[in-house]
């Protein structure tokens, strides 16, 4: 079960929980599970990028999530 | 990671596009002329905030030489989202920014565009377009935008990130990061410093104005030549905004005269394509400098409150901050990035930081080199400087005490891999600049800075010629020497001299898809694609050698540009070089083409530290930079001259931001200093030589250890300058720029204070 | 009514038609196809349009095209001799004194004018002479070094 860390700004949509364990093989599955579990969180997820074991993906999709992965939802960043 | 010895990486060859650029032959956005070409011009709002009641173009249409006119109604409504320069941007907002539909939201907002056979006719037609406005009150600052009963820019706006949020509001979003217990942390502190800071709207200041030529053909296909950081980004935006299939749009990037993030979002291209479609002739559009300032994308003005508490030994126990960033006319300031970067160099045990994205009646902000980070860093590093003063601690020691290292968690979540914060601070401490003597009215300031390493999509192709030379093709415009860097990578992988590699910037039809040149990603991410494509060629060369020698490919080593055969094989008396094998291409299987494409994750971030010495003239308030040293962890410097150049250029922009640059607005909300005379950027006589210290802590994600370097250097200068002014004058200035009138006023006010009041 | 102007550009006789209010910059770029001279601001503040008019450094955006009548104009395209780059051009390349390159023609023309007038300038003299040329990419460091190295090279050649 991957450990998912939410930034404090999103915990208002998860009843205060900032660390969750989610079983999902890919990032897209993980986000879908989150949105299904916490319907109010869903619309906020287009503002996030996903870091899996320290590597940040601006386009969260089918990147693999291992059972031991540390996943962080981070703000989407634009470079210049 | 073992220390690899490089043959070409780290050398300083002359860049391949250099001769064209020093002779004036290189073609930038405004340098193209096509047969039958028309000149486009844009009518822009004279009001900062107004409803458009009507637009009458009939008199303009009658002007001799006018061939086409477009207004907002010539463009479709779009609600599409686009992954663009690393952030999903609402195309609806970009489209509305390109040309207004129902409201104008800033002075300079485009309302109509014309194409004519000569520029004078275009100007005359603009003067004959009759627009009726219902003028509204503008808001120009965060305070004005969030005041009760403030004029509202977007009726449907609600604050994202707030549960059960309701409009009307100008606050587009709220974000937050937290760790530990800040109240407890502040209670444990021996000293607490709290300040409020303000930074102005500033512009990237690229010397080349936006420019493009568009040709819409009888076959429904559009070709756009333009100065851009991202041809693929232009193609997708133009297609969506004009309402045509992206497969029918080809974008050919010209050379680009500076971007810094400001040439990612489109302004002119959709207008030029739409005009060309109507006129059935090519249309050229070039912004004037006035238009660049008023109608492209400067970066956010900000209001930032920071509170930091520390123990006597310098350990920070708590940090709290509120960041308010102006987004300009539409949502999307880099407030979230500022929030993520503010404490990034440190491992504060307890922190809270919130960020607000606020719309105001100014141009929609665009990315500007490490977007969001310089302002947040200015606030945090200035506050840390005050903490160091109160505790009588050396500025380097305070930062060393709190410095983040591998394994510490970044404020935005994930643990850091190997990073250079402590290495950089040690280098600062040991550098002669740190202990050089200072004179009267002089001061020294130190500040750290952080920025991410962009990743995302990149493609590369390497084409081998029979003579052993090669071409490397990518879709990334070369703004600062990336062609040379890519050639060095191919040289390194194939073992051929860098002069025998031709680096080429292709267009959207001839390059694999690639994300923008920006975000400090080309040397890192596109570089990885180039290296992989070159390795693909190398593997093909080994396979061909295997055929020539009639041996198993596994038995062939590759060293220094040669295939080395296993010993004792009669058909393989000696090694074969790239040219030897290349000459036999046709005989061994055909042409050799290497390719690679990847999605690089964002990881392996960069840190920098700058030392600034300056002198403040107490009679005029004028600040002179005396000495400047910039330290940065670059991972691996592929072409050190251009790495140094990125650092020097970023430092100069940061110095300008700290000392002189700002948008000046009149009470009606119109910019008053839209030219280089009064928007005062540093010139050669304002600066000394900028010394750079390149530190290399390898980025484990990249084969050579490369980190993106382009953006970090603009982050430290704001606080480095402000901290130096603090020492030189005894005054903590919390509002930028530190232009002579502001500094003089501060000096005069301080001289009226009784002794003992700080 | 357009004016017919006869002038000399980069050592060759040249002629063009222009409106009385057209700038020399516009005619160079659009009339005679010499796009090496760049437009950055059109208010004489950035130096990207620097050319020499009878050997004098001017911002061509502030010179009217008719003013070139009977005079000589030198642009960036006129500095190299055949296949030999001007020492400034060579030194700019060696010192990596350009990143995006848009300001480079203006800087090279301006620096050429300086070295004609003052073959052995100090760093301060170079910085103040070039204060009329804006660069946003380099922070000027490598540009100054390239100009000083060029003057050293020209001094050696003159000896």
């Amino acid at each position: 079960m991957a450990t998912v860390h939410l930034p404090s700004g999103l915990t208002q949509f998860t009843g205060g929980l900032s660390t969750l364990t989610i079983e999902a093989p890919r990032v897209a599955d993980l986000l879908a599970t989150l949105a299904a579990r916490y319907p109010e969180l869903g619309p906020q997820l287009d503002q996030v990028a996903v870091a899996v074991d320290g590597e940040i993906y601006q386009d969260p999709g089918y990147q693999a999530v291992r059972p031991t992965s540390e996943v962080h939802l981070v703000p989407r960043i634009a470079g210049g | 990671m073992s220390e690899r010895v490089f043959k070409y990486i780290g050398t300083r060859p002359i860049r391949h596009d250099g001769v064209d650029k020093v002779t004036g032959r290189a073609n930038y956005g405004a340098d193209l002329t096509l047969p039958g070409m028309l000149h486009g011009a844009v009518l822009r709002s004279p009001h900062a905030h107004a409803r458009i009641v009507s637009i009458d173009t009939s008199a303009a249409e009658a002007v001799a030489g006018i061939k086409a006119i477009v207004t907002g109604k010539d463009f479709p409504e779009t609600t599409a989202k686009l992954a663009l320069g690393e952030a999903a941007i609402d195309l609806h907002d970009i489209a509305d920014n390109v040309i207004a539909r129902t409201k104008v939201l800033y002075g300079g907002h485009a309302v109509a565009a014309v194409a004519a056979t000569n520029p004078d006719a275009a100007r005359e037609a603009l003067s004959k377009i009759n627009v009726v406005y219902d003028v509204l009150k503008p808001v120009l600052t965060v305070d004005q935008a969030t005041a009760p009963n403030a004029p509202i820019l977007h009726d449907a706006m609600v604050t994202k990130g707030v549960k059960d949020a309701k409009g009307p509001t100008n606050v587009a979003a709220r974000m937050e990061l937290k760790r530990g217990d800040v109240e407890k942390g502040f209670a444990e502190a021996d000293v607490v410093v709290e300040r409020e800071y303000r930074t102005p709207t500033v512009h990237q200041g690229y010397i080349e104005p936006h420019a493009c030529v568009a040709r819409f053909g009888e076959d429904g296909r559009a070709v756009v030549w333009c100065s851009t950081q991202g041809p693929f980004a232009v193609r997708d935006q133009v297609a969506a905004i004009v309402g045509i299939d992206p497969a029918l749009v080809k974008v050919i990037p010209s050379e680009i005269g500076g971007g810094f993030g400001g040439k990612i979002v489109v302004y002119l291209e959709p207008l030029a394509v739409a005009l060309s479609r109507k006129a059935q002739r090519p249309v050229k559009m070039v912004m004037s400098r006035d238009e660049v300032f008023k109608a492209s994308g400067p970066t956010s003005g900000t209001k930032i409150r920071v509170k930091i508490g520390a123990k006597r030994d310098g350990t920070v126990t708590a940090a709290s901050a509120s960041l308010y960033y102006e987004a300009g006319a539409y949502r999307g300031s880099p407030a979230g990035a500022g929030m993520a970067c503010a404490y990034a160099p440190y491992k504060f045990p307890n922190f809270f930081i919130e960020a607000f994205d606020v719309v105001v009646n100014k141009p929609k902000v665009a990315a500007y080199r490490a977007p969001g980070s310089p302002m947040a860093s200015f606030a945090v590093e200035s506050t840390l400087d005050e903490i160091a003063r109160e505790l009588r601690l050396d500025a380097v020691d305070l930062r060393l005490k709190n410095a983040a290292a591998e394994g510490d968690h970044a404020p935005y979540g994930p643990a850091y891999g190997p990073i250079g914060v402590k290495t950089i601070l040690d280098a600062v401490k040991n550098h002669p600049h740190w202990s050089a003597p200072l004179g009267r009215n002089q001061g020294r300031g130190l500040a750290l800075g952080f920025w991410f390493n962009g990743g995302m999509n990149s493609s590369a192709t390497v084409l081998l010629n029979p003579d052993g030379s090669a071409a490397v093709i990518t879709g990334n415009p070369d703004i600062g020497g990336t062609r040379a860097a890519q050639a060095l990578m191919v040289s390194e992988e194939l073992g051929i001299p860098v002069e025998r590699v031709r680096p080429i910037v292709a267009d959207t039809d001839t390059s694999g898809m690639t994300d923008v040149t920006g975000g400090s990603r080309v040397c890192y991410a596109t570089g990885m694609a180039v290296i992989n494509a070159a390795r693909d060629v190398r593997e093909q060369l080994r396979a061909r050698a295997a055929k020539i020698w009639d041996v198993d490919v596994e038995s062939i080593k590759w060293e220094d540009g040669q295939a080395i055969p296993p010993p004792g094989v009669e058909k393989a008396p000696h090694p074969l070089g790239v040219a030897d094998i290349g000459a036999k291409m046709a005989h061994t299987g055909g042409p050799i083409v290497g390719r690679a494409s990847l999605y690089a994750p964002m990881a392996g971030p960069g840190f920098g530290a700058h030392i600034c010495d300056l002198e403040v003239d107490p009679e005029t308030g004028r600040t002179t930079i005396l000495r400047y040293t910039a330290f940065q962890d670059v991972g691996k410097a592929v072409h050190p001259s251009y790495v140094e150049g990125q650092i020097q250029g970023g430092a100069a922009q940061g110095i300008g931001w700290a000392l002189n640059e700002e948008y000046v607005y009149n009470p009606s909300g119109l910019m008053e200093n839209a030219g280089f005379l009064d928007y005062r950027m540093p010139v050669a006589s304002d600066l000394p030589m900028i010394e750079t210290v390149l530190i290399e802590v390898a980025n484990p994600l990249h084969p050579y250890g490369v980190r993106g370097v382009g953006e970090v250097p603009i982050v430290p200068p704001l606080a480095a300058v402000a901290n130096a002014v603090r020492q030189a004058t005894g005054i903590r200035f919390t509002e930028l720029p530190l232009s002579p009138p502001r500094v003089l006023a501060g000096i005069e006010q301080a001289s009226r204070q009784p002794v003992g009041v700080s | 009514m357009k004016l017919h102007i006869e002038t000399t550009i980069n050592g060759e006789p040249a002629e063009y038609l222009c409106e009385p209010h057209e700038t020399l910059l516009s005619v160079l770029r659009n009339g005679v196809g010499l796009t090496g001279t760049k437009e950055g601001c059109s208010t004489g503040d950035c130096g990207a349009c620097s050319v020499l008019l009878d050997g004098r450094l001017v911002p061509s955006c502030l010179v009217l095209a008719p003013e070139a009548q009977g005079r000589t104009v030198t642009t960036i395209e006129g500095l190299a001799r055949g296949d030999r780059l001007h020492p400034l051009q060579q030194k700019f390349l060696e010192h990596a004194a350009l990143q995006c390159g848009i300001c480079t023609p203006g800087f090279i023309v301006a620096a050429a004018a300086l070295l004609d007038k003052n073959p052995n300038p100090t760093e301060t003299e170079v910085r103040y002479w070039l204060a009329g040329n804006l660069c946003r990419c380099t922070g000027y460091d490598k540009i100054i070094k390239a100009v000083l190295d060029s003057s050293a090279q020209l001094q050696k050649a003159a000896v």
Side-chain angles (χ1 to χ4, degrees):
Chain A
M1 298 276 264
T3 311
V4 182
H5 303 271
L6 269 62
S8 60
L10 292 183
T11 59
Q12 62 187 299
F13 302 106
T14 61
L17 289 175
S18 62
T19 304
L20 306 158
T21 46
I22 297 199
E23 185 156 349
R26 306 167 310 179
V27 170
D29 306 312
L30 189 147
L31 292 176
T33 306
L34 270 177
R37 222 187 265 185
Y38 304 103
E40 282 182 309
L41 182 62
Q44 309 291 331
L45 291 179
D46 65 356
Q47 296 276 318
V48 300
V50 179
V52 181
D53 298 316
E55 298 178 12
I56 303 176
Y57 297 97
Q58 297 285 359
D59 300 283
Y62 304 99
Q63 297 89 359
V65 178
R66 290 197 310 275
T68 52
S69 283
E70 289 279 319
V71 176
H72 293 258
L73 301 193
V74 303
R76 249 192 142 127
I77 307 292
Chain B
M1 196 186 219
S2 64
E3 252 322 303
R4 174 171 169 176
V5 176
F6 293 99
K7 186 169 173 184
Y8 296 100
I9 300 297
T11 61
R12 301 173 188 251
I14 287 183
R15 62 194 283 174
H16 298 63
D17 55 334
V19 174
D20 280 350
K21 289 183 169 158
V22 298
T23 57
R25 262 201 300 279
N27 285 322
Y28 293 81
D31 294 337
L32 179 69
T33 299
L34 291 179
M37 194 173 78
L38 302 172
H39 298 267
V42 181
L43 181 68
R44 300 186 178 280
S45 168
H47 304 292
H49 193 193
R51 257 183 279 276
I52 299 173
V53 176
S54 65
I55 306 178
D56 181 0
T57 59
S58 49
E61 284 157 34
V63 169
I66 288 296
K67 300 299 179 188
I69 301 184
V70 294
T71 64
K73 61 174 166 48
D74 291 292
F75 295 82
E77 280 300 310
T78 172
T79 52
K81 279 202 192 314
L82 196 64
L84 188 68
E86 300 156 279
I89 290 178
D90 220 326
L91 261 176
H92 175 269
D93 288 346
I94 298 184
D96 201 66
N97 192 44
V98 163
I99 190 159
R101 320 292 157 119
T102 56
K103 276 183 96 171
V104 289
L105 294 165
Y106 56 97
H109 197 165
V111 171
V114 306
T117 50
N118 65 79
D120 288 338
R123 268 192 292 273
E124 195 191 332
L126 290 187
S127 71
K128 294 202 150 90
I129 297 177
N130 188 18
V131 185
V132 177
Y133 295 101
D134 174 18
V135 181
L136 304 167
K137 190 157 173 278
V139 289
L140 296 175
T141 66
V142 160
D143 290 337
Q144 287 174 14
T146 55
N149 302 312
I152 298 296
L153 274 72
H154 301 280
D155 293 328
M157 180 167 283
V158 289
T159 307
K160 248 190 145 144
V162 173
K163 209 165 138 95
D164 303 323
K166 279 194 258 296
T169 182
N170 288 319
V171 180
R174 181 185 176 279
M175 295 149 277
E176 184 193 296
L177 289 174
K178 204 160 61 177
R179 175 190 292 164
D181 181 344
V182 278
E183 290 315 316
K184 185 156 160 288
F186 282 122
E188 288 169 0
D190 294 317
V191 64
V192 174
V193 173
E194 182 169 9
R195 293 280 189 280
E196 181 173 291
Y197 302 85
R198 287 176 194 266
T199 69
T201 302
V202 293
H203 195 271
Q204 299 83 351
Y206 35 81
I207 306 300
E208 180 206 26
H210 298 259
C212 69
V213 177
R215 184 184 68 209
F216 198 96
E218 298 83 347
D219 55 359
R221 291 176 179 274
V223 183
V224 180
W225 290 263
C226 59
S227 165
T228 177
Q229 293 176 239
F232 289 89
V234 172
R235 181 181 70 178
D236 291 343
Q237 290 174 85
V238 164
I241 294 171
V242 177
I244 47 186
D245 185 352
L248 298 176
V249 180
K250 172 172 171 170
V251 178
I252 302 173
S254 65
E255 296 305 316
I256 172 174
F260 312 110
K263 290 182 178 167
I264 292 174
V265 168
V266 294
Y267 302 99
L268 297 175
E269 291 78 1
L271 299 176
V273 169
L275 286 167
S276 179
R277 181 169 59 177
K278 261 199 180 179
Q280 279 300 308
R281 286 168 68 166
V283 174
K284 179 174 190 170
M285 298 185 76
V286 182
M287 278 199 188
S288 66
R289 180 54 52 184
D290 185 85
E291 289 178 297
V292 173
F293 276 116
K294 291 177 175 165
S296 63
T299 193
S300 308
T302 69
K303 179 175 93 163
I304 299 176
R305 271 200 303 274
V306 173
K307 179 176 166 184
I308 298 183
K311 295 233 254 285
R312 198 142 302 285
D313 71 352
T315 312
V316 169
T317 56
S320 177
S322 299
L323 280 51
Y324 299 86
Y325 279 48
E326 294 168 14
Y330 305 86
R331 66 167 67 240
S333 77
M339 177 182 75
C341 295
Y343 307 141
Y346 307 107
K347 49 173 188 193
F348 298 156
N350 306 296
F351 68 74
F352 169 81
I353 182 162
E354 60 178 353
F356 297 89
D357 183 36
V358 182
V359 294
V360 296
N361 291 108
K362 290 181 179 179
K364 176 174 173 35
V365 300
Y368 177 14
R369 209 164 193 165
S373 189
M375 311 79 136
S377 177
F378 164 61
V380 171
E381 293 292 310
S382 294
T383 309
L384 284 173
D385 195 62
E386 284 298 310
I387 297 258
R389 289 177 174 283
E390 288 225 24
L391 295 175
R392 296 192 196 290
L393 283 174
D394 172 83
V396 178
D397 287 336
L398 174 69
R399 286 166 176 81
L400 273 169
K401 197 97 193 145
N402 296 282
E406 181 169 4
D408 290 325
H409 282 262
Y412 50 88
Y416 285 125
I419 52 174
V421 185
K422 288 194 175 143
T423 316
I424 290 170
L425 288 168
D426 286 336
V428 168
K429 224 179 164 146
N430 293 319
H431 195 281
H433 185 173
W434 189 243
S435 45
L438 287 167
R440 256 192 67 206
N441 297 317
Q442 296 181 356
R444 175 167 301 145
L446 171 77
L448 256 61
F450 163 87
W451 186 251
F452 308 85
N453 215 2
M456 303 198 313
N457 298 290
S458 283
S459 306
T461 323
V462 174
L463 312 178
L464 192 70
N465 296 311
D467 65 357
S469 65
V472 55
I473 302 172
T474 72
N476 282 106
D478 180 2
I479 318 187
T482 46
R483 277 186 182 98
Q486 287 162 11
L488 282 166
M489 295 175 203
V490 174
S491 285
E492 191 68 45
E493 293 301 320
L494 294 185
I496 59 179
V498 73
E499 303 77 41
R500 307 217 80 221
V501 181
R502 269 191 316 288
I504 297 178
V505 176
D507 59 54
T508 55
D509 279 0
T510 52
S511 163
M513 190 277 185
T514 188
D515 279 312
V516 301
T517 293
S520 311
R521 65 175 288 281
V522 176
C523 235
Y524 166 64
T526 299
M528 282 202 280
V530 166
I531 290 167
N532 291 347
R535 288 179 177 175
D536 183 3
V537 166
R538 205 175 63 202
E539 286 315 296
Q540 293 181 56
L541 287 167
R542 273 179 76 222
R544 300 305 178 88
K547 277 210 176 135
I548 293 169
W549 290 327
D550 198 12
V551 299
D552 200 16
V553 69
E554 299 306 318
S555 66
I556 299 176
K557 287 213 261 287
W558 183 276
E559 254 167 49
D560 222 0
Q562 295 191 308
I564 315 284
V569 172
E570 212 193 306
K571 292 185 197 164
H574 56 76
L576 289 175
V578 176
D580 301 324
I581 306 173
K584 296 192 159 51
M585 263 191 223
H587 309 273
T588 55
I592 295 177
V593 173
R595 68 162 170 87
S597 57
L598 49 79
Y599 186 101
M602 200 160 85
F607 294 86
H610 292 192
I611 310 173
C612 175
D613 285 358
L614 49 79
E615 181 172 320
V616 178
D617 183 335
E619 287 182 41
T620 62
R622 197 229 152 111
T623 301
T624 305
I625 308 287
L626 300 172
R627 185 173 178 183
Y628 203 94
T629 309
F631 303 74
Q632 188 165 327
D633 174 11
V634 305
K636 179 72 198 163
V638 174
H639 191 311
S641 302
Y642 290 106
V643 174
E644 291 159 0
Q646 288 296 310
I647 295 173
Q648 291 165 333
Q653 285 180 311
I655 290 168
W657 197 332
L659 286 181
N660 287 95
E661 295 177 38
E662 61 179 325
Y663 273 44
V664 178
Y665 281 92
N666 70 17
S668 304
L670 301 176
M671 185 186 184
E672 294 193 304
N673 62 330
F676 282 138
L677 185 62
D678 295 315
Y679 182 87
R680 178 72 165 80
M681 307 192 320
V683 301
S685 52
D686 291 324
L687 298 170
M689 295 296 181
I690 299 171
E691 185 179 340
T692 60
V693 177
L694 306 186
I695 288 161
E696 294 181 330
V697 174
N699 176 3
L701 263 78
H702 186 278
Y704 301 165
V706 166
R707 293 179 195 271
V709 303
E711 292 172 285
V712 168
I714 200 176
V715 181
L718 279 62
V721 168
N723 291 342
V725 170
R726 169 66 174 88
Q727 183 175 17
T729 62
I731 300 164
R732 169 62 57 187
F733 288 94
T734 56
E735 185 167 356
L736 298 183
L738 306 185
S739 52
R742 175 168 282 132
V743 173
L744 194 56
I747 291 173
E748 285 170 352
Q749 189 188 37
S751 72
R752 290 196 287 272
Q753 301 272 19
V755 172
V757 175
S758 63
Chain C
M1 175 75 171
K2 288 201 174 171
L3 300 172
H4 176 227
I5 302 301
E6 286 172 314
T7 182
T8 305
I9 300 179
N10 297 329
E12 297 287 329
E15 56 182 337
Y16 50 79
L17 295 176
C18 66
E19 298 287 352
H21 59 266
E22 223 177 316
T23 64
L24 177 59
L25 174 65
S26 170
V27 157
L28 285 171
R29 289 179 53 77
N30 304 311
V32 297
L34 292 171
T35 57
T37 306
K38 305 300 179 191
E39 178 172 2
C41 71
S42 281
T43 53
D45 296 309
C46 75
C49 68
S50 299
V51 300
L52 305 180
L53 188 60
D54 285 344
R56 181 183 162 207
L57 182 64
V58 296
S60 58
C61 69
L62 295 184
V63 175
L64 293 174
E67 292 186 69
Q69 171 69 39
R71 299 165 82 175
T72 64
V73 180
T74 307
T75 71
I76 183 68
E77 290 93 342
L79 288 192
R81 289 266 168 275
D83 66 350
R84 265 188 26 241
L85 292 175
H86 187 285
L88 280 166
Q89 292 170 314
Q90 184 62 34
K91 288 300 173 187
F92 264 64
L93 292 175
E94 287 170 18
H95 285 269
L98 59 145
Q99 288 178 35
C100 81
I102 192 80
C103 72
T104 303
F107 266 98
I108 292 178
V109 169
L114 169 65
L115 296 183
D116 270 347
K117 206 170 127 92
N118 179 358
N120 198 12
T122 63
E123 177 185 334
T124 304
E125 285 171 329
V126 174
R127 286 186 179 278
Y128 275 86
W129 182 272
L130 295 177
N133 290 75
L134 288 180
C135 174
R136 197 55 161 166
C137 294
T138 67
Y140 306 103
D141 184 292
K142 294 181 190 295
I143 292 177
I144 305 301
K145 285 175 173 141
V147 175
L148 290 171
D149 196 8
S150 302
S151 92
Q153 167 143 327
L154 287 165
Q155 293 289 289
K156 270 213 308 260
V159 167

